[in-house]
Amino acid sequence: MTATDPALTALAQGWCALSLLHGRIEAHVERALQAGHGLSVREYSLLDVLSRQHDGDGGHLQMKQVADAVVLSQSATTRLVTRLEDRGLLSRYLCPTDRRGIYTNVSDAGLALLEAARPTNNEALREALDAAASEPDLAPLVRVVRRPDTENEANFRC
């Protein structure tokens, strides 16, 4: 294969389209969440991920798992948790079975903010996808994003 190989060119174009779609969606949702609720996309995602924890077996996430879920490094996730904790939206506590482990829970104020922000997030996401669907290069990606996939739905929560 050479750098001008059609397969490589198509792959690069596909990657550029995916990157463009992601950037547009994230920017649109970010503006809506900031304007309506004073939240960034990352803050919203962190609150959403942590709100889904439960008291059952494996129900609480370790910081590495949280970092993976919000697509940040562990250190960036820790800083984000600290900022939200300083705002009273999260609280940390020691794991009852392993005193070295620290877990994070969403506070009542954090849950209230998340629930208020959820419709804004969903509407901004819909708007961004609607706008992208009208562009020929992005329309196929939008169809994939919108495709119902109940089998993998739980793996891709934001």
Side-chain angles (χ1 to χ4, degrees):
M1 275 193 201
T2 65
T4 58
D5 186 297
L8 288 177
T9 302
L11 182 63
Q13 288 173 337
W15 171 245
C16 286
L18 180 60
S19 182
L20 177 64
L21 179 62
H22 175 269
R24 285 188 186 178
I25 291 170
E26 187 169 53
H28 188 76
V29 173
E30 179 85 23
R31 285 189 300 271
L33 287 172
Q34 281 290 349
H37 308 282
L39 282 174
S40 71
V41 169
R42 297 287 187 208
E43 291 168 338
Y44 175 88
S45 295
L46 180 66
L47 289 172
D48 184 54
V49 165
L50 291 175
S51 75
R52 297 173 192 281
Q53 296 182 119
H54 56 83
D55 288 332
D57 189 32
H60 286 273
L61 302 173
Q62 296 174 347
M63 200 55 69
K64 180 178 180 347
Q65 295 169 304
V66 174
D68 289 345
V70 296
V71 192
L72 289 173
S73 67
Q74 280 188 261
S75 61
T77 302
T78 299
R79 289 189 302 273
L80 183 59
V81 165
T82 299
R83 282 197 311 270
L84 292 178
E85 185 178 36
D86 290 346
R87 290 174 57 187
L89 303 174
L90 300 176
S91 62
R92 291 185 235 203
Y93 66 96
L94 291 175
C95 172
T97 58
D98 179 358
R99 303 303 272 174
R100 297 169 296 167
I102 298 175
Y103 290 134
T104 305
N105 272 340
V106 181
S107 68
D108 290 341
L111 288 172
L113 181 58
L114 176 64
E115 289 311 308
R118 195 176 307 278
T120 302
N121 180 77
N122 293 344
E123 181 60 26
L125 180 56
R126 247 187 311 280
E127 291 169 357
L129 287 170
D130 287 347
S134 67
E135 296 184 39
D137 289 346
L138 300 180
L141 295 172
V142 172
R143 283 193 297 276
V144 170
V145 170
R146 286 185 164 157
R147 182 186 71 213
D149 187 355
T150 55
E151 182 178 314
N152 292 317
E153 184 178 294
N155 294 329
F156 298 104
R157 296 191 190 270
C158 294

